[in-house]
Amino acid sequence: MSTDRHPSERGNANAAHAANAAPTPAANFIRNIIDEDNRSGKWSQRVETRFPPEPNGYLHLGHAKSICLNFGIARSYGGVCHLRFDDTNPEKESFEYVESIIDAVKWLGFEWRKDSAEHLYFASDYYDKLYAFAELLIERGKAYVDSQSAEDMRVNRGSATEPGKASPYRDRPVDENLDLFRRMKAGEFKEGEHVLRAKIDMASPNFNMRDPVLYRIRFAHHYRTGDTWCVYPMYDYTHCISDALENITHSLCTLEFEDHRPLYDWILDELAAAGVFTRPLPQQIEFSRLNLTYAITSKRKLLQLVTEGHVDGWDDPRMPTIVGVRRRGFTPESIQLLCDRIGVTKVDSWIDMSVFEGALRDDLDEKAPRATAVLDPLKLIIDNYPEGTTEECSAPVHPHHPERGTRTFPFSRELWIEREDFAETPPKGYFRLFPGNRVRLKYGYVVECTGADKDEHGNIVAVHCNYFADSRSGTEGANSYKVKGTIHWLSAAGACPAEVRVYDRLFREAQPDAGGRDFLEALNPDSKRIVQAYVEPGARDAAPEQRYQFERHGYFVADRFDTKPGKPVFNRIVSLRDSWGKPA
Ligand code: ATP
Ligand code: MG
């Protein structure tokens, strides 16, 4: 599987460093264009970009690439990036989506305020202007009202090998066009009866230039403009004009808009010729979208996962939505780091989920305090340890950062250990607990296993051992004990019960929707497992979104919504190592 990482960023020896240092943006073709514009003095204004989501769903990791790119470029050139809602499809849009998008962009670490000016825009605020410009195009003979049926329009559009056929209405006089367009706006016609089209070239090899529709009739309630309008502008018409109205210099979009660029330029050229805009006009530049393996980045399919109940909502921690990955515990920095690593190119490619998980581990390794959790608890009884006694053990909060101090937890006669850390008959190469074997209880004592208790079904219910009183970690005697295995543990008395949600990839296949197959068939039935675990006492009052590395297990976060004081609920963010597809 190929990735489009920037060559200088292959290999990630310095990745942890890169996550924390001020990022030095890697050169890319877009930056080269901006640098050239700066050299030639093309613009007499600062760099202005925009991120233009349609508020018809929740943002996902694909959008994060566009956000990091647009806001990142503006930031590093001292310019500004606008957040603009491209809201011209009344049926599908809502305030709920607007709010979630605002939250997502902020959480990713970006802002649209610059020098105390707020650069938050809505295409729907431009409806009056868009309408006036359409009348202007009609007056200049550049647009006409077409009254063909949708079917006739489709047929007359031609094919890849055949030019289109002019509509019988193409040469309507200006006055008639103006009159009809005004009456469309006044609500005198039914949906589909007329549309406004640009008059460009029905023989163009580019379909987008075969007299594209600019306005259509829709009797739909818009979440912001209500029932004021019954004609709505099309995306291609709205987008370039919004860019020009906002003085956008570089309009960055994904590759599927490459074929739309001639139309983008045509509309702005015509309006410049009419004296509406001055040159230079905004420049559209396309880059490849982010495709992430084991994930879906189509709003429609994500919606299907939610509405059909395959996941627990938009913010299910397995969802690639921004609200989902936030709840899962991903950091905004790891998402930015991923975007830096994959770079910006014009080559369509797939980024492996493991690249993302690598960015996450690199970021979390530095940040996350360490803690102990026992996910599959089994009792360990130290028979020669005095009953009713506890000692305090301590461990570093972070092994590479002594300045972050230590954490303490009790040691006592009864402990919880992982069930997999005991074997009645050890497989070859097994160095943990089995009768007669010695292991170190990390940060505690060396113990020797003496046997185990079973219930009437033969299940192991407790393991027994004896400890060596002079073997405590950090004391002189500790070094005279040589053992091959070290295991983690929690004092049964001090441990805090916690629900732990062990998440894995939502899909079993790298490209769940490849070749148009039903992506639901690739759902991973084991993507969510809930276990009743124990965590060390210090994690009892974990704040929502507090992250930890549970030693040996991976990175975990206290669930944003379900964690309550004294009752933590943890989500597994990612395991310590990439073990996907490898036998456990
Ligand atoms: P829709 O199908 O609803 O148009 P969309 O994913 O294109 O979905 P938009 O709200 O139009 O959603 O996207 C906002 C911006 O994010 C656009 O500029 C779009 O090009 C960009 N974007 C969307 N998906 C990706 C992706 N996978 N990688 C990079 N950029 C993306
Ligand atoms: Mg789109």
Side-chain angles (χ1 to χ4, degrees):
M1 213 156 294
S2 81
T3 64
D4 64 357
R5 276 178 174 195
H6 192 270
S8 69
E9 289 163 343
R10 255 175 226 137
N12 54 4
N14 287 322
H17 171 74
N20 296 293
T24 324
N28 63 48
F29 77 100
I30 297 177
R31 286 177 182 274
N32 294 345
I33 293 172
I34 297 175
D35 290 340
E36 184 47 39
D37 288 349
N38 286 342
R39 260 192 299 278
S40 69
K42 174 176 175 185
W43 295 99
S44 54
Q45 62 162 94
R46 65 189 174 191
V47 170
E48 301 211 15
T49 55
R50 85 286 167 271
F51 172 64
E54 185 182 351
N56 64 350
Y58 283 76
L59 297 185
H60 53 63
L61 289 169
H63 296 112
K65 174 174 178 178
S66 178
I67 294 170
C68 290
L69 177 65
N70 279 294
F71 283 92
I73 285 204
R75 185 184 277 175
S76 67
Y77 284 94
V80 62
C81 178
H82 302 188
L83 176 59
R84 181 201 311 143
F85 289 96
D86 228 324
D87 52 355
T88 53
N89 278 317
E91 290 95 342
K92 295 180 181 165
E93 300 164 355
S94 75
F95 279 118
E96 178 197 349
Y97 295 133
V98 168
E99 279 163 22
S100 78
I101 290 170
I102 287 181
D103 282 351
V105 179
K106 279 190 188 159
W107 179 74
L108 282 169
F110 298 107
E111 57 174 7
W112 42 90
R113 167 185 283 272
K114 175 95 179 170
D115 307 329
S116 72
E118 202 72 54
H119 293 279
L120 177 66
Y121 302 95
F122 293 85
S124 52
D125 283 339
Y126 305 141
Y127 281 167
D128 283 321
K129 284 185 174 142
L130 290 160
Y131 178 82
F133 298 159
E135 285 204 353
L136 191 59
L137 291 176
I138 293 172
E139 283 162 12
R140 295 172 62 85
K142 300 296 178 182
Y144 63 98
V145 172
D146 194 357
S147 311
Q148 295 182 94
S149 68
E151 178 56 15
D152 286 348
M153 264 183 69
R154 195 186 56 75
V155 171
N156 289 336
R157 201 156 245 199
S159 67
T161 50
E162 264 175 277
K165 274 209 230 56
S167 160
Y169 305 99
R170 197 171 196 259
D171 291 318
R172 265 180 169 147
V174 168
D175 286 349
E176 190 181 326
N177 282 321
L178 265 185
D179 176 60
L180 283 171
F181 189 47
R182 287 177 184 160
R183 288 166 59 201
M184 280 167 67
K185 178 182 178 240
E188 291 186 24
F189 305 114
K190 291 198 289 291
E191 287 188 5
E193 228 174 314
H194 307 283
V195 292
L196 183 73
R197 296 178 75 173
K199 198 177 205 175
I200 310 180
D201 179 5
M202 287 306 289
S204 172
N206 182 341
F207 271 86
N208 297 304
M209 299 299 271
R210 293 186 186 175
D211 291 9
V213 174
L214 305 181
Y215 267 89
R216 79 279 197 211
I217 300 172
R218 280 276 183 288
F219 288 92
H221 188 84
H222 186 278
Y223 76 105
R224 287 184 85 240
T225 59
D227 299 315
T228 310
W229 294 88
C230 63
V231 287
Y232 288 94
M234 300 300 284
Y235 172 88
D236 279 329
Y237 178 69
T238 310
H239 199 87
C240 53
I241 294 177
S242 306
D243 283 348
L245 287 171
E246 293 174 19
N247 298 315
I248 297 301
T249 54
H250 302 86
S251 179
L252 315 179
C253 62
T254 37
L255 280 177
E256 67 270 24
F257 291 101
E258 199 162 20
D259 288 348
H260 297 236
R261 185 175 357 119
L263 178 54
Y264 182 105
D265 290 338
W266 184 91
I267 293 169
L268 293 187
D269 280 337
E270 290 302 334
L271 290 173
V276 173
F277 297 124
T278 52
R279 294 174 191 280
L281 296 165
Q283 180 183 0
Q284 174 178 312
I285 305 170
E286 309 85 19
F287 63 95
S288 65
R289 38 192 311 128
L290 171 64
N291 298 309
L292 202 57
T293 61
Y294 301 99
I296 293 272
T297 47
S298 147
K299 281 183 194 163
R300 185 179 56 77
K301 290 176 186 165
L302 292 174
L303 179 67
Q304 193 183 343
L305 287 173
V306 173
T307 52
E308 293 181 4
H310 302 291
V311 293
D312 305 328
W314 287 104
D315 65 357
D316 185 301
R318 295 165 292 178
M319 287 282 273
T321 50
I322 305 293
V323 279
V325 300
R326 175 175 181 181
R327 191 157 183 198
R328 175 73 169 263
F330 288 28
T331 57
E333 293 79 6
S334 67
I335 297 172
Q336 287 188 32
L337 184 58
L338 172 81
C339 292
D340 289 348
R341 284 185 184 168
I342 61 180
V344 186
T345 70
K346 274 188 173 286
V347 186
D348 250 322
S349 64
W350 284 80
I351 302 300
D352 201 89
M353 185 58 98
S354 62
V355 178
F356 197 172
E357 291 168 348
L360 200 52
R361 291 187 189 100
D362 289 338
D363 185 40
L364 290 173
D365 180 39
E366 273 296 299
K367 288 180 184 157
R370 282 16 180 196
T372 303
V374 176
L375 299 190
D376 188 10
L378 175 65
K379 201 48 101 40
L380 177 71
I381 301 166
I382 309 171
D383 292 304
N384 66 342
Y385 192 84
E387 247 168 288
T389 304
T390 57
E391 286 176 67
E392 198 161 76
C393 291
S394 72
V397 170
H398 194 292
H400 306 133
H401 292 283
E403 75 284 0
R404 292 196 208 165
T406 53
R407 40 188 243 267
T408 57
F409 37 88
F411 184 87
S412 58
R413 190 170 182 270
E414 294 201 358
L415 309 176
W416 293 115
I417 60 168
E418 297 291 345
R419 189 164 284 277
E420 65 167 30
D421 285 346
F422 172 77
E424 209 176 3
T425 29
K428 201 162 174 277
Y430 187 89
F431 298 122
R432 290 168 273 168
L433 282 173
F434 54 89
N437 193 42
R438 291 180 184 183
V439 299
R440 174 165 294 284
L441 299 173
K442 197 167 186 192
Y443 312 119
Y445 291 94
V446 171
V447 295
E448 183 172 305
C449 183
T450 54
D453 299 336
K454 292 183 185 173
D455 65 12
E456 69 267 32
H457 307 295
N459 300 315
I460 292 174
V461 291
V463 176
H464 288 267
C465 65
N466 286 321
Y467 88 121
F468 299 94
D470 58 349
S471 66
R472 187 172 159 162
S473 293
T475 64
E476 263 178 38
N479 289 337
S480 57
Y481 290 84
K482 298 290 178 228
V483 292
K484 283 192 174 159
T486 299
I487 65 173
H488 66 272
W489 53 274
L490 285 168
S491 159
C496 169
E499 175 176 317
V500 175
R501 299 166 182 169
V502 181
Y503 291 110
D504 214 324
R505 294 177 186 180
L506 187 54
F507 294 98
R508 275 179 287 130
E509 318 228 2
Q511 299 181 14
D513 49 1
R517 75 166 152 207
D518 182 4
F519 66 104
L520 296 177
E521 282 169 17
L523 279 169
N524 173 8
D526 303 317
S527 58
K528 177 182 181 182
R529 196 160 52 87
I530 295 185
V531 299
Q532 297 302 324
Y534 289 101
V535 296
E536 71 178 53
R540 180 185 303 272
D541 292 314
E545 301 203 277
Q546 163 77 52
R547 297 179 184 83
Y548 292 95
Q549 185 196 100
F550 289 156
E551 294 185 32
R552 288 173 68 200
H553 287 302
Y555 296 96
F556 292 73
V557 67
D559 189 85
R560 286 177 76 185
F561 302 119
D562 297 339
T563 283
K564 301 283 176 286
K567 281 199 155 193
V569 173
F570 290 100
N571 300 328
R572 182 168 81 180
I573 309 171
V574 67
S575 59
L576 281 185
R577 259 164 252 93
D578 182 11
S579 58
W580 180 256
K582 300 184 184 109

